[in-house]
Amino acid sequence: MLSHYVLRASLRSRSNGLLSQLPPSIEHCVDQIWPNSHRNFHASSLVEASSSSTRWKKRQSTDSYAREAKVQGLKSRAAFKLLEIDAKYRIFKKGQTVVDLGYAPGSWSQVAVERTKPGGRIVGIDIIPAQPPKGVSTIQGNFLSSEVREVVKRFLSDPDRGRPKIQETFDISQPVVKPTPSYIDLERHLDDNHKEDQIKLEGDPQGTEKVMVAEKEKSRKAEDRVMGRMVDVVLSDMSAPWDQTTGFWKRSLSDPYIRMMNTSGISFKDHAGSMDLCAAALQFGFDTLKTGGHFVVKFYQGSEDKQLEVQLKRLFGSVHREKPDSSRSESKEAYFVALRRKHNVNRESVLGTNQIT
């Protein structure tokens, strides 16, 4: 069997017009194993991939955001886009549950972990195998699959699953077991609270209104729990990945870039693909976001993004288009930042009848 290295040498010779330098016996074997048309096509693909990789490396070396990301230990320069969005809209709070769709290589998840400390829960989903950042729970799978979405929802249904445990500290000078109040003490405490509420209501004309608002808030939270809406923020920086054709020998967990897509160069294809991913992310957000939750999604600009904006405005209190400074000027990417999910919005009015199943 002809070795892999001889095949590669033959391929390079063919692509450079140096076929005559190979011995006839080797060339005959190559023709039998690998037809000429297939060999030439693969050679051109390798040349294109090599030149594209060289351009990407050159651009990264002169990119200030890429250099700064490396200095700060961030997975990629994309972290600065989310940092800019959060600085403007304050989407993160301590203790939140955040879902990062298309998390690889993990820079957005890194930002979410830092901004939701302590007690925050970050869950990342991606089809590409990648090493999760510290403090992030991840699920590998195709998010367009209904089975994968159900797995994510089951994971989120337990409010403590994936949430870092806060270590409690004990003061040895204090008794470990606290005295349990008696039944009479509890009844007296309830009476005292009731009297205080009555005094507040009588002395404050708006007290009744405040109590009603608090009761409504409780009922909304209860409804969210019943409906399985337990997420505070949904992030989507998804792009359709390239099919993996080479680099199977690489440690892909630490180098997911081999399959991450910038753009195909065909604007309509990139736009249409991003709209499908946005639709899947919006449907997931509708099912899992709490009332008052936020939604940040990347899209490639085109004719259909206005329709997506209309859908978002039906579900959220305010919707903003953003093109962060850290996003490359030549890129068609942009972001919708949708804030404060509304209560009791009809599903079909947002998602229509063509929902992803």
Side-chain angles (χ1 to χ4, degrees), residues 150-214:
E150 287 303 316
V151 168
V152 176
K153 290 175 184 176
R154 285 199 299 272
F155 183 94
L156 293 168
S157 62
D158 182 350
D160 296 322
R161 191 175 182 186
R163 197 181 299 277
K165 294 181 179 178
I166 301 175
Q167 294 183 347
E168 296 182 0
T169 57
F170 298 95
D171 186 354
I172 58 174
S173 64
Q174 299 295 327
V176 177
V177 180
K178 295 182 179 180
T180 304
S182 66
Y183 174 77
I184 296 175
D185 290 334
L186 291 173
E187 286 289 332
R188 186 182 296 121
H189 183 63
L190 287 174
D191 279 344
D192 291 341
N193 286 343
H194 180 67
K195 288 176 182 177
E196 287 178 7
D197 290 340
Q198 287 295 111
I199 293 170
K200 288 179 181 178
L201 289 176
E202 291 172 3
D204 183 4
Q206 297 180 342
T208 305
E209 184 179 344
K210 290 179 181 179
V211 170
M212 290 177 64
V213 170

Side-chain angles (χ1 to χ4, degrees), residues 42-75:
H42 192 69
S44 62
S45 300
L46 287 175
V47 171
E48 290 174 7
S50 177
S51 61
S52 175
S53 177
T54 302
R55 288 195 304 272
W56 181 83
K57 288 178 181 178
K58 184 177 180 180
R59 185 176 65 178
Q60 290 293 97
S61 65
T62 58
D63 189 312
S64 60
Y65 288 105
R67 291 199 302 269
E68 186 62 23
K70 192 172 183 180
V71 169
Q72 294 190 25
L74 298 170
K75 295 280 188 176

Side-chain angles (χ1 to χ4, degrees), residues 260-276:
M260 294 183 69
M261 184 184 91
N262 284 324
T263 53
S264 67
I266 305 171
S267 57
F268 177 77
K269 178 182 178 183
D270 297 333
H271 170 64
S274 77
M275 288 297 102
D276 289 341

Side-chain angles (χ1 to χ4, degrees), residues 200-269:
K200 288 179 181 178
L201 289 176
E202 291 172 3
D204 183 4
Q206 297 180 342
T208 305
E209 184 179 344
K210 290 179 181 179
V211 170
M212 290 177 64
V213 170
E215 289 299 322
K216 281 185 178 180
E217 186 66 23
K218 286 182 182 178
S219 66
R220 286 178 183 176
K221 288 181 179 180
E223 183 180 341
D224 282 341
R225 285 194 295 270
V226 171
M227 298 297 292
R229 298 194 287 256
M230 68 298 289
V231 179
D232 297 288
V233 181
V234 171
L235 307 173
S236 174
D237 195 31
M238 287 191 289
S239 291
W242 295 110
D243 292 329
Q244 186 168 0
T245 56
T246 60
F248 292 99
W249 55 274
K250 288 187 178 181
R251 296 177 60 189
S252 59
L253 282 178
S254 59
D255 187 17
Y257 288 100
I258 56 175
R259 291 187 58 202
M260 294 183 69
M261 184 184 91
N262 284 324
T263 53
S264 67
I266 305 171
S267 57
F268 177 77
K269 178 182 178 183

